[in-house]
Amino acid sequence: MSTMNISLPDGLKTYVDDQVSEGSFGTASEYVRALIREDQERKQLRGLLLAGARSPAVGEFDAAYFDSLRQTISKMANKTATK
């Protein structure tokens, strides 16, 4: 693993230290790594969403389609809530 030194304004360093002291992360490095992973995931999701938006529509998307989609999501949420 490589080492990287970064400079933070006092307010940001205090925030990172607070995140560590709250027990969410063991060290400041763990917190920064988690932020970088989240940023990578966000960029990947954005790319997938943009690719989907650029792709041609397949099928009909009428009121019945969205009603069915809502029902499916509601069922999935109910299953997750009961576990």
Side-chain angles (χ1 to χ4, degrees):
M1 188 176 301
S2 298
T3 299
M4 176 185 286
N5 295 316
I6 60 170
S7 298
L8 297 174
D10 290 338
L12 290 180
K13 182 177 181 326
T14 300
Y15 182 80
V16 170
D17 291 340
D18 289 346
Q19 296 304 304
V20 173
S21 67
E22 288 175 7
S24 302
F25 301 92
T27 65
S29 292
E30 288 178 13
Y31 180 67
V32 171
R33 283 192 294 270
L35 290 176
I36 293 169
R37 282 188 208 98
E38 288 175 11
D39 187 52
Q40 288 174 324
E41 291 170 1
R42 181 188 58 80
K43 286 182 179 182
Q44 181 183 14
L45 177 59
R46 179 177 169 80
L48 292 170
L49 290 170
L50 289 172
R54 291 184 193 113
S55 66
V58 178
E60 296 213 14
F61 302 104
D62 56 7
Y65 168 81
F66 287 104
D67 288 341
S68 172
L69 188 59
R70 283 186 198 95
Q71 289 174 4
T72 301
I73 292 169
S74 179
K75 287 177 188 176
M76 291 172 63
N78 288 338
K79 286 182 184 178
T80 303
T82 58
K83 287 185 178 181

